[in-house]
Amino acid sequence: MKKLGLPEHIRACLFDLDGVITKTAVVHAAAWKEMFDEFLRRRDGDGFRPFTPDDYDRYVDGLPRADGVRSFLASRDIELPEGKDSDPEDKDTVHGLGNRKNTLVLEKIRTDGVEPYEGTLRYVRAARELGLRTAVVSSSANCRDILRSVNAEDLFEVRIDGVVAAERRLPGKPRPDTFLAAAHDLDVAPGDCAVYEDALAGMDAGKSGHFGYVVGVDRVGQSDALREHGADIVVKDLAELGADA
């Protein structure tokens, strides 16, 4: 297993989607900014304080959609009604803003498409050839469609995404429950699983879930923060972890 950069006891690999498997983290960040800036401009006028990349990293990256809305609004001391999942996207509720963000993401994906990180796909294939179990763990409700769009759905035995989490009532990252569910479905103990994440919330989940190895994938220059939040190792791309990738 050393050629994949993993301790010998690791039997399964649990991969985040956005920012690890696919380049959709940038799309999500742009959609969050567009949605929140529209809302803040409407609320505060042209002198509003825009949503920043730091806001994305601190308050929404890796979180389920509604949690991201709540987290950012709390950072600005803004209170909104929760609303319902069915709220229209022009309604100023937590779910209304979340629905607007999702519409923007889907529009951007349809317009620009989705690209995979080829180093990750090679790494996953190498892991499977070595007999390691594989799962994708994502807060995105669009996970399956995105994997299909890059022909990667069949690389993962288990998928725990926003849809599955809602069905099972699993709290999202930074709680470890979705990763723990993936380990359970693979019938592998958490201590024998490696977690691959690019978000600080994902690092927190890997650490608190007592997983055997936590790999931080630094796409945006936050390697120190990834380590502070629990990464055992930080790489810019999974291809760095071994020749097989």
Side-chain angles (χ1 to χ4, degrees):
M1 232 64 77
K2 289 180 180 177
K3 51 189 168 183
L4 290 181
L6 297 172
E8 293 289 346
H9 69 279
I10 295 298
R11 296 176 47 223
C13 301
L14 315 180
F15 297 89
D16 176 44
L17 176 70
D18 302 320
V20 175
I21 300 171
T22 60
K23 300 181 182 181
T24 39
V26 175
V27 179
H28 281 280
W32 280 113
K33 178 171 177 58
E34 185 172 340
M35 181 275 289
F36 275 130
D37 282 357
E38 286 176 352
F39 165 73
L40 292 168
R41 183 181 289 108
R42 194 168 64 248
R43 180 179 185 272
D44 301 331
D46 289 340
F48 76 99
R49 182 155 57 101
F51 181 82
T52 68
D54 187 59
D55 289 326
Y56 177 76
D57 292 338
R58 284 174 177 266
Y59 305 118
V60 304
D61 187 20
L63 271 61
R65 195 184 312 143
D67 289 349
V69 174
R70 294 186 197 100
S71 176
F72 173 71
L73 293 179
S75 78
R76 298 288 181 94
D77 296 319
I78 298 172
E79 293 186 11
L80 289 181
E82 278 289 304
K84 302 176 182 178
D85 287 342
S86 58
D87 278 359
E89 44 188 78
D90 60 353
K91 191 168 185 178
D92 286 343
T93 63
V94 168
H95 288 285
L97 294 184
N99 289 338
R100 173 61 178 154
K101 181 264 175 180
N102 194 51
T103 294
L104 290 169
V105 162
L106 295 177
E107 287 176 355
K108 292 176 186 299
I109 288 173
R110 279 194 296 269
T111 300
D112 302 326
V114 177
E115 287 184 64
Y117 285 103
E118 294 295 343
T120 296
L121 296 187
R122 291 195 300 272
Y123 186 92
V124 177
R125 293 187 185 104
R128 289 172 62 86
E129 288 172 6
L130 288 171
L132 293 170
R133 311 293 300 279
T134 56
V136 58
V137 181
S138 172
S139 60
S140 175
N142 306 310
C143 178
R144 170 174 273 175
D145 291 337
I146 291 170
L147 286 176
R148 285 176 174 170
S149 75
V150 297
N151 298 312
E153 185 181 15
D154 62 348
L155 293 179
F156 303 96
E157 302 167 66
V158 165
R159 173 178 50 85
I160 305 292
D161 61 6
V163 175
V164 175
E167 290 172 350
R168 299 191 191 179
R169 299 185 179 180
L170 300 171
K173 307 165 193 176
R175 293 276 297 275
D177 300 60
T178 50
F179 282 112
L180 291 171
H184 175 272
D185 287 5
L186 289 172
D187 195 25
V188 178
D192 293 331
C193 295
V195 166
Y196 301 79
E197 263 282 0
D198 71 316
L200 302 183
M203 293 293 98
D204 293 336
K207 183 176 181 180
S208 64
H210 304 291
F211 290 92
Y213 203 59
V214 180
V215 179
V217 184
D218 180 21
R219 306 291 191 190
V220 295
Q222 58 175 1
S223 60
D224 290 343
L226 290 169
R227 288 190 178 91
E228 288 169 6
H229 283 255
D232 292 302
I233 187 174
V234 176
V235 296
K236 293 187 180 298
D237 190 89
L238 296 190
E240 295 175 33
L241 291 177
D244 287 52

